[in-house]
């Protein structure tokens, strides 16, 4: 068999005579000078059927260069990642080794030095009716605050975690194991009940406030109850495919997590593992699938959704009794046209915390039309249209815009005209940013390597 190797190296440099805005603070201005640059490396190597290697490295001159010159990448990765990972997977388990290391001191991040994972997939225990799965991680973790955070005053005697985020860096060697036993049961040929029992043990070489090594123990019980209802909506053929078949799955997932011997404030925080606490709650919701047959009788999801909320019987401090209503839905009208939406509605406040919607259509001649709406309470309300038109094999045009509804102004507008030649593709573009500054640029890339563009990223 043939295995793939993909790589992408990007470099950029500009002598910027106006590297910051007049409205920037003195601390922000101190982090930027006229010499601005980036070096980015993405590499993927599929070594064999079971093993792959991936790395991503980003070295930047300052914390604002991505936002200023590479807006599209900045929207996806506001805090660029730096890691290398090798993973081996079989039908029974997956094992990986990963290293995360910060390259620029103006970002707050968590370094993971030789973090190793071993996950044992869900599998029957012998000939019994019980199943077992296990997730395991071991590594040295280090929280590094940005240089800006470290420069702030902090109260080292504070016992409030919110006051500790500006304290000096901290680290700990951590071993974590999460093991769960299930017993699937079925009643009356339709009702599925899956009780479970779990144990999570997490050992830290250091704990918060100069604490010594300690082992946190968490015990957990739970039950997932669900059933499925089926209905054929139509056998007729239409734009959607051949027939429509509905599957509705109501479910309730109850979790009781005993109070751990070490609370979150006793630990250093590296990720969500360190923030686990007691829980007594049930998540209930409904999954829905409407399926059809397309092409050579392949099954396709015409519509799929998951709508759920959480009822907390013993809410922790700062938690609401009823968690937010969350929903995620995708409508694939055809193989070329789909709509996607997700939201989070907070019952107590009576308003949305987030709401996102996007529609995408790609024609068979690769013309692309998309429109998205993104809302985050107290942050932004953005409408983003995008069009890519290919009138011929040699010409294509990209048009992009972003409008801020709350501010009532355009954040970004750009257009680029591309012409493909035998060996290279040339693009002439223009952009107006949210400061109403105009940029005109020319970019070139090898036709055989479409990711090798020379010029500003959109």
């Amino acid at each position: 068999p043939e295995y793939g190797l993909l790589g992408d190296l990007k470099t950029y440099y500009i002598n910027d005579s106006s590297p910051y805005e007049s409205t920037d603070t003195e601390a922000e201005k101190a982090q930027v000078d006229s010499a601005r640059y980036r070096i980015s490396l993405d590499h993927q190597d599929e070594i064999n059927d079971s093993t792959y290697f991936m790395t991503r490295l980003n070295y930047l001159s300052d914390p604002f260069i991505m936002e200023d010159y590479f807006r599209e990448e900045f929207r996806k990765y506001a805090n660029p990642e730096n890691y290398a990972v090798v993973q081996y997977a079989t039908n029974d388990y997956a094992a990986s080794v990963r290293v995360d290391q910060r390259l620029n001191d103006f970002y707050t991040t968590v370094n993971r030095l030789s973090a190793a994972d071993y996950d044992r997939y869900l599998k029957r225990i012998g000939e019994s009716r019980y199943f077992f799965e296990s997730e395991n991680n071991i590594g040295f973790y280090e929280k590094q605050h940005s240089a800006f955070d470290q420069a702030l005053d902090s109260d080292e005697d504070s016992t409030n975690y919110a006051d500790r985020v500006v304290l000096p860096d901290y680290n700990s060697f951590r071993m974590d194991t999460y093991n769960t036993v299930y017993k699937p049961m079925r009643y009356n040929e339709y009702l599925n009940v899956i009780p479970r029992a779990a144990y999570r043990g997490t050992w830290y070489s250091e704990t918060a406030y100069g604490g010594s090594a300690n082992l946190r123990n968490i015990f957990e019980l739970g039950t997932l109850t669900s059933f499925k209802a089926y209905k054929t909506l139509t056998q007729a053929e239409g734009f959607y495919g051949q027939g429509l078949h509905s599957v509705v799955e109501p479910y309730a997932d109850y979790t009781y997590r005993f109070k751990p011997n070490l609370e979150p404030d006793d630990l250093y925080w590296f990720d969500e593992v360190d923030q686990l606490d007691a829980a007594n709650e049930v998540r209930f919701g409904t999954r829905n699938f409407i399926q059809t047959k397309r092409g050579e009788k392949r099954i396709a999801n015409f519509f799929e959704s998951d709508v759920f909320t959480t009822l907390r019987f013993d809410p922790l401090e700062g938690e609401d009794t009823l968690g937010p209503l969350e929903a995620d839905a995708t409508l694939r009208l055809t193989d070329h046209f789909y709509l996607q939406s997700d939201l989070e509605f907070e019952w107590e406040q009576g308003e949305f915390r987030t709401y996102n919607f996007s529609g995408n259509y790609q024609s068979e001649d690769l013309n692309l039309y998309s429109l998205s709406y993104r809302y985050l309470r107290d942050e932004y309300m953005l409408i983003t249209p995008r069009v890519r038109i290919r009138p011929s094999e040699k010409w294509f045009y990209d048009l992009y815009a972003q409008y801020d509804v709350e501010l009532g102004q355009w954040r970004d507008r750009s257009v680029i005209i591309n012409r493909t030649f035998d060996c290279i593709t040339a693009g002439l573009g223009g952009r107006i940013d949210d400061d109403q500054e105009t940029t005109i640029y020319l970019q070139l890339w090898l036709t055989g390597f479409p990711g090798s563009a020379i010029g500003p990223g959109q």
Side-chain angles (χ1 to χ4, degrees):
E2 296 182 359
Y3 302 104
L5 185 152
L6 297 174
D8 187 7
L9 174 65
K10 298 178 182 178
T11 61
Y12 182 78
Y13 175 84
I14 185 171
N15 186 5
D16 193 344
S17 59
S18 301
Y20 45 77
E21 305 294 331
S22 59
T23 55
D24 290 344
T25 65
E26 292 302 317
E28 291 172 331
K29 293 178 181 179
Q31 300 182 74
V32 187
D33 58 33
S34 59
R36 309 187 71 185
Y37 54 85
R38 70 171 293 197
I39 302 174
S40 173
L41 172 65
D42 282 285
H43 177 82
Q44 300 178 48
D45 188 357
E46 187 179 356
I47 300 172
N48 55 44
D49 287 338
S50 303
T51 311
Y52 78 84
F53 171 77
M54 181 183 299
T55 185
R56 173 171 291 172
L57 302 174
N58 290 277
Y59 187 73
L60 310 176
S61 61
D62 59 79
F64 311 113
I65 185 172
M66 297 300 294
E67 183 178 9
D68 290 345
Y69 293 101
F70 302 92
R71 294 290 182 89
E72 186 71 12
E73 291 184 58
F74 178 76
R75 294 185 188 100
K76 296 178 180 178
Y77 308 105
N79 188 343
E81 297 177 292
N82 294 284
Y83 66 84
V85 58
V86 59
Q87 177 167 313
Y88 177 78
T90 70
N91 294 330
D92 297 322
Y93 67 89
S96 66
V97 176
R98 175 168 175 149
V99 175
D100 291 71
Q101 178 62 54
R102 185 180 71 173
L103 297 183
N104 295 108
D105 65 1
F106 40 73
Y107 289 116
T108 295
T109 189
V110 173
N111 293 329
R112 296 171 176 84
L113 305 180
S114 298
D117 291 89
Y118 175 81
D119 297 334
R120 190 76 182 181
Y121 302 148
L122 185 66
K123 190 173 183 179
R124 183 189 297 270
I125 302 175
E127 299 299 323
S128 71
R129 299 178 59 185
Y130 294 88
F131 289 76
F132 174 77
E133 69 176 350
S134 179
E135 302 174 12
N136 305 274
N137 171 270
I138 182 172
F140 182 80
Y141 290 75
E142 179 182 33
K143 180 68 173 284
Q144 287 189 313
H145 298 99
S146 73
F148 179 75
D149 282 342
Q150 290 176 323
L152 298 177
D153 292 332
S154 62
D155 179 6
E156 296 187 5
D157 295 328
S158 173
T159 58
N160 189 318
Y161 181 78
D163 296 329
R164 290 196 282 134
V165 295
V166 295
L167 291 180
D169 303 339
Y170 52 79
N171 59 68
S172 176
F173 185 81
R174 190 183 77 183
M175 293 188 293
D176 178 67
T177 181
Y178 183 40
N179 304 277
T180 309
V181 176
Y182 304 86
K183 186 184 180 183
M185 296 181 289
R186 190 174 179 86
Y187 297 94
N188 298 324
E189 299 302 321
Y190 79 95
L191 181 64
N192 299 301
V193 179
I194 309 176
R196 65 183 183 272
Y199 166 74
R200 182 164 217 147
T202 312
W203 183 83
Y204 299 83
S205 64
E206 294 186 42
T207 50
Y209 311 112
S212 58
N214 212 331
L215 173 66
R216 182 192 63 184
N217 298 295
I218 298 181
F219 297 91
E220 181 181 303
L221 299 173
T223 300
L224 173 63
T225 304
S226 67
F227 68 90
K228 292 182 180 180
Y230 305 86
K231 182 177 179 60
T232 298
L233 303 179
T234 179
Q235 296 282 9
E237 185 174 356
F239 69 91
Y240 45 80
Q242 177 66 52
L244 290 174
H245 186 71
S246 176
V247 181
V248 178
E249 183 184 13
Y251 64 90
D253 190 359
Y254 174 74
T255 298
Y256 185 87
R257 187 181 304 125
F258 293 84
K259 190 73 174 176
N261 59 314
L262 295 176
E263 297 185 4
D265 282 344
D266 298 323
L267 305 170
Y268 289 138
W269 287 13
F270 303 107
D271 53 37
E272 64 277 1
V273 170
D274 313 302
Q275 301 172 40
L276 291 172
D277 206 341
N280 183 13
E281 61 189 31
V282 57
R283 171 176 291 186
F284 53 92
T286 301
R287 300 185 187 93
N288 187 21
F289 301 89
I290 299 179
Q291 298 178 324
T292 186
K293 293 181 180 179
R294 291 177 180 166
E296 298 184 3
K297 302 303 181 181
R298 61 181 173 84
I299 302 298
N301 286 331
F302 175 72
F303 174 78
E304 58 183 296
S305 68
D306 187 10
V307 181
F308 61 90
T309 190
T310 302
L311 175 62
R312 302 184 179 104
F313 300 105
D314 298 310
L316 300 174
E317 184 178 354
E319 288 185 332
D320 296 325
T321 301
L322 191 61
L325 173 68
E326 299 183 55
D328 191 345
T330 302
L331 177 64
R332 296 180 177 87
L333 295 169
T334 69
D335 286 340
H336 300 283
F337 183 27
Y338 73 89
L339 306 174
Q340 192 278 331
S341 180
D342 61 83
L343 60 85
E344 186 174 319
F345 180 83
E346 295 182 333
W347 304 100
E348 299 290 335
Q349 289 74 21
E351 59 184 6
F352 289 98
R353 194 186 79 83
T354 65
Y355 177 73
N356 302 301
F357 169 84
S358 65
N360 292 270
Y361 173 74
Q362 181 170 304
S363 63
E364 293 186 359
D365 54 4
L366 300 182
N367 290 336
L368 175 66
Y369 308 89
S370 72
L371 179 68
S372 67
Y373 173 85
R374 295 179 60 81
Y375 170 79
L376 178 60
R377 186 180 61 211
D378 300 329
E379 294 291 336
Y380 54 73
M381 187 186 300
L382 306 175
I383 296 176
T384 306
R386 185 169 194 170
V387 176
R388 169 171 286 188
I389 302 174
R390 292 179 174 269
S392 69
E393 292 185 1
K394 295 185 178 295
W395 292 91
F396 62 95
Y397 315 115
D398 275 311
L399 300 94
Y400 173 90
Q402 189 172 79
Y403 184 76
D404 192 315
V405 178
E406 291 191 333
L407 297 179
Q409 66 182 35
W410 293 98
R411 276 196 173 192
D412 206 359
R413 288 152 288 172
S414 67
V415 58
I416 181 169
I417 302 172
N418 301 284
R419 173 68 160 85
T420 300
F421 299 93
D422 291 338
C423 298
I424 65 170
T425 298
L428 179 64
R431 180 170 65 218
I432 303 176
D433 63 19
D434 51 359
D435 295 319
Q436 304 305 308
E437 293 186 356
T438 301
T439 302
I440 304 296
Y441 57 89
L442 172 68
Q443 63 180 21
L444 305 169
W445 67 87
L446 298 175
T447 304
F449 299 92
S452 61
I454 301 175
Q458 188 182 63

